Amino acid sequence: MTAMPGSIAFDEYGRPFIILRDQEKQKRLTGNDAIKSHILSAKAIAKTIRTSLGPKGLDKLMVSQDGDVMVSNDGATIMKQMDVDNEIAKLMVQLSQSQDDEIGDGTTGVVVLAGALLEQADMLLDKGIHPIRIADGFELAAQCALKHLDTISDKFPVDPNNLEPLIKTAMTTLSSKIVNKIGRQFAEIAVNAVLSVADLEKRDVNFELIKVEGKVGGRIEDTMLVKGVVIDKDFSHPQMPKELKDVKIAILTCPFEPPKPKTKHKLDVASVEDYRALRKYEADKFDQMVTQVKDAGATLVICQWGFDDEANHLLLKRELPAVRWVGGPEIELIAIATGGCIVPRFEQLSPEKLGKAGLVRELSFGTTKDKMLVIEECANSRAVTIFIRGSNQMIIEEAKRSMHDALCVVRNLICDDKIVYGGGAPEIACSIATAFEADKISGLEQYAFRSFSDALESIPLALAENSGLSPMAEVTRIKAKQIKDGNSNLGVDCMGKGTNDMKEQHVIETVKSKKQQIMLATQLVKMILKIDDVRTPNELSL
């Protein structure tokens, strides 16, 4: 038996086994060539998304395999919709998603920064520096940048009696979105929604209590905040009242129907009397269920399951309004908002398990007279719903993503009140700090420090380029001014307001978001620099 060297080994009994299948036929890159290939893939992704950065960033139009069209400016959404096969490109997509899950903002910036770091790493590899030394240098430079962020940060006191600073911060996030024309309205809604559910003492925000609903029809300006719950349902019978006040709500997960045996069964109806007896049994059961609900004091029934026309007619006759087919998450939100209990059996229903709401009304809108239910003035008013309107589904989906980013920014400020001023100002300040620190290092890591410093400038460069300015001239001018004046608030004047001081323009970003961007981008670059080969699992066959 012949074997290619290195492809077959022998165990202690002399039996051959394959380590790497068809190794002699494999043609692959290894070492620095593989790393350079990975860098090329990541740079292609970063270059694609770079033009979406900033308030003047361009949108991307994506067409799915089914022909569905989506227009978005949100980095995480664009990355998620990309159909990528390359493994490194998939890591870039996950990078953007991690930033979105953790912070909710800065999803484009983190990809641009990672691409710039890899571009710098490519140049360092050409100089003959080992990938591990580059990765270690980037790690040290990132720590230096994070420390400098703390020194240039400001405190941002959250005052429920003065919402203007929070609103302006949310508007910074919305400035690059499709809803920027009504950014003020969306920012006010986001701030009021977060403060409604926030625990300012514990500095915690429960996003589960904020529901974002969208409905096609009307203008995007018709978007509103409901201090309660909006459900995409209507009353089960058209003759039921459209508005109820001082409502006691029975929240049921049991259906209005006669009980069924749990085992297989057969029912023979042999005569008219048998059929009448069956009908009477069903009617009695329906009547018993409605009586149990009425006796508990309920004036509205919200049921997770459906019920037939007979039960519906009986509910109308007994003057008990009902809503059917309400989903599980909505049921839970209604229970939280109204302070009620979810009841699985009619027998367990009691007055103390009922939810309470001041007003339940049916909204009707659009030429098709679409209907939705609004539950307001709830016992636990902390649950809120943001009801977004728009001319088509694409606009609504993008407005939802924009609102999510604004909500996340306000949440981050409540959890951590440290801020920096945007427009690329913190990146330029950190770039100056890391370049200054590089002069103190005697080892090879000084090259990585300077490269990290250059990579940080990619954010303000992209902002200037997307704003129609001369990128190099603008960033060089701002950098020189920051060094001369010692003012770390100077950034790119994207909106053409005549001043580079981002504090005057009130362009605010959270320190938490900036730190997360730098940490995630550095960690991904370190990981890519350490991958010198790619193999699929079936190529490692024992």
Side-chain angles (χ1 to χ4, degrees):
M1 180 179 182
T2 59
M4 293 297 295
S7 62
I8 289 186
F10 296 87
D11 61 15
E12 61 270 28
Y13 300 109
R15 294 177 299 201
F17 62 90
I18 297 171
I19 298 174
L20 298 173
R21 189 182 301 280
D22 300 328
Q23 180 68 6
E24 71 280 3
K25 297 177 186 176
Q26 300 294 342
K27 289 182 180 178
R28 65 173 74 255
L29 296 171
T30 56
N32 277 6
D33 290 337
I35 295 171
K36 281 180 169 288
S37 171
H38 303 333
I39 290 171
L40 196 65
S41 307
K43 276 165 60 180
I45 293 287
K47 188 178 178 183
T48 304
I49 207 169
R50 179 187 170 94
T51 52
S52 296
L53 188 67
K56 299 282 187 179
L58 304 176
D59 295 345
K60 304 293 180 194
L61 186 144
M62 290 152 285
V63 185
S64 71
Q65 292 178 343
D66 300 329
D68 295 332
V69 174
M70 176 192 288
V71 177
S72 181
N73 184 269
D74 182 60
T77 305
I78 295 168
M79 298 290 284
K80 199 160 44 176
Q81 294 297 323
M82 280 184 177
D83 188 12
V84 291
D85 290 328
N86 185 276
E87 292 77 11
I88 303 302
K90 286 177 182 175
L91 286 176
M92 294 289 277
V93 174
Q94 290 172 16
L95 169 72
S96 182
Q97 203 59 49
S98 300
Q99 177 76 12
D100 193 42
D101 293 341
E102 187 69 25
I103 302 295
D105 187 32
T107 51
T108 307
V110 71
V111 177
V112 173
L113 180 57
L117 284 170
L118 287 168
E119 197 170 337
Q120 293 296 326
D122 196 11
M123 293 186 226
L124 294 176
L125 286 171
D126 289 339
K127 289 179 179 177
I129 302 175
H130 194 276
I132 296 298
R133 300 297 293 270
I134 298 171
D136 290 346
F138 280 174
E139 177 69 24
L140 291 170
Q143 295 303 324
C144 175
L146 294 178
K147 285 178 186 173
H148 189 67
L149 276 175
D150 286 328
T151 62
I152 64 171
S153 64
D154 281 353
K155 279 278 186 181
F156 188 92
V158 177
D159 183 4
N161 300 316
N162 180 20
L163 302 182
E164 192 60 26
L166 282 171
I167 291 169
K168 286 184 176 177
T169 308
M171 286 173 69
T172 303
T173 302
L174 296 168
S175 63
S176 63
K177 308 297 182 188
I178 203 169
V179 297
N180 64 345
K181 297 295 182 195
I182 52 162
R184 172 92 195 180
Q185 181 186 341
F186 265 56
E188 287 176 358
I189 289 172
V191 169
N192 288 321
V194 171
L195 288 178
S196 296
V197 304
D199 187 334
L200 295 177
E201 288 182 10
K202 294 181 180 177
R203 305 184 76 84
D204 184 42
V205 178
N206 185 0
F207 262 17
E208 297 294 322
L209 297 174
I210 301 176
K211 188 183 175 194
V212 182
E213 274 284 342
K215 194 78 172 175
V216 174
R219 303 177 305 156
I220 200 164
E221 289 87 351
D222 297 333
T223 297
M224 61 181 177
L225 175 67
V226 177
K227 293 290 182 74
V229 182
V230 177
I231 52 175
D232 194 3
K233 302 289 174 187
D234 56 356
F235 288 111
S236 60
H237 199 289
Q239 293 178 13
M240 287 177 179
K242 305 302 179 194
E243 188 173 299
L244 303 170
K245 292 184 178 178
D246 298 323
V247 190
K248 292 182 179 178
I249 306 171
I251 305 168
L252 304 174
T253 56
C254 46
F256 274 94
E257 61 181 27
K260 292 185 175 71
K262 296 296 180 187
T263 56
K264 289 183 180 179
H265 61 282
K266 182 182 177 185
L267 178 66
D268 291 325
V269 179
S271 64
V272 175
E273 286 74 19
D274 289 347
Y275 180 74
R276 284 176 180 162
L278 180 62
R279 292 278 297 150
K280 186 175 184 306
Y281 169 75
E282 286 189 354
D284 289 345
K285 279 293 178 184
F286 283 140
D287 194 71
Q288 181 186 340
M289 291 171 188
V290 176
T291 302
Q292 285 173 324
V293 175
K294 293 279 282 187
D295 288 349
T299 55
L300 173 66
V301 176
I302 291 180
C303 187
Q304 187 176 9
W305 305 104
F307 36 82
D308 59 19
D309 291 341
E310 187 176 351
N312 203 14
H313 176 72
L314 184 61
L315 288 165
L316 175 69
K317 189 177 173 184
R318 296 288 294 272
E319 297 181 351
L320 184 60
V323 186
R324 55 186 165 186
W325 295 119
V326 181
E330 291 171 327
I331 283 268
E332 290 178 12
L333 199 60
I334 292 168
I336 292 169
T338 60
C341 293
I342 299 172
V343 180
R345 292 184 181 85
F346 288 98
E347 295 79 14
Q348 296 178 3
L349 201 58
S350 60
E352 60 271 11
K353 291 184 179 179
L354 300 178
K356 295 176 179 63
L359 179 67
V360 177
R361 58 192 173 94
E362 194 175 79
L363 283 178
S364 179
F365 43 79
T367 53
T368 55
K369 296 296 178 189
D370 289 334
K371 293 181 176 63
M372 294 182 88
L373 275 183
V374 180
I375 303 171
E376 295 177 289
E377 300 171 24
C378 303
N380 178 7
S381 60
R382 290 181 64 206
V384 296
T385 303
I386 298 169
F387 186 40
I388 294 175
R389 307 301 309 281
S391 56
N392 57 48
Q393 195 61 39
M394 184 184 72
I395 294 289
I396 287 173
E397 291 303 319
E398 182 66 4
K400 279 184 179 180
R401 288 189 285 271
S402 304
M403 183 59 75
H404 171 73
D405 285 2
L407 290 169
C408 287
V409 166
V410 180
R411 187 254 331 250
N412 293 340
L413 281 172
I414 289 172
C415 298
D416 183 357
D417 58 1
K418 283 186 177 179
I419 58 156
V420 286
Y421 297 95
E427 283 86 0
I428 294 174
C430 289
S431 171
I432 294 167
T434 48
F436 181 74
E437 193 68 26
D439 296 334
K440 300 178 183 178
I441 298 171
S442 57
L444 271 175
E445 281 76 13
Q446 64 176 290
Y447 289 96
F449 258 77
R450 291 195 181 96
S451 295
F452 194 92
S453 172
D454 291 341
L456 283 171
E457 291 179 14
S458 63
I459 302 289
L461 282 169
L463 286 173
E465 186 179 344
N466 294 343
S467 303
L469 304 170
S470 174
M472 286 304 295
E474 185 71 12
V475 173
T476 306
R477 183 179 66 80
I478 295 167
K479 191 174 178 182
K481 205 171 179 185
Q482 273 205 23
I483 295 170
K484 182 183 175 184
D485 300 347
N487 184 359
S488 59
N489 301 334
L490 300 175
V492 180
D493 181 17
C494 299
M495 305 305 288
K497 292 188 178 179
T499 175
N500 290 109
D501 194 326
M502 295 295 117
K503 191 171 184 176
E504 284 183 30
Q505 290 199 26
H506 207 90
V507 179
I508 291 175
E509 296 183 62
T510 59
V511 169
K512 190 176 179 182
S513 174
K514 281 292 160 208
K515 283 186 172 182
Q516 191 74 9
Q517 280 187 42
I518 293 172
M519 285 192 295
L520 285 176
T522 308
Q523 286 168 5
L524 180 76
V525 170
K526 278 183 66 180
M527 186 192 302
I528 291 174
L529 288 173
K530 291 180 179 180
I531 301 172
D532 70 343
D533 199 355
V534 178
R535 297 178 188 273
T536 54
N538 62 357
E539 291 173 19
L540 290 171
S541 178
L542 291 180

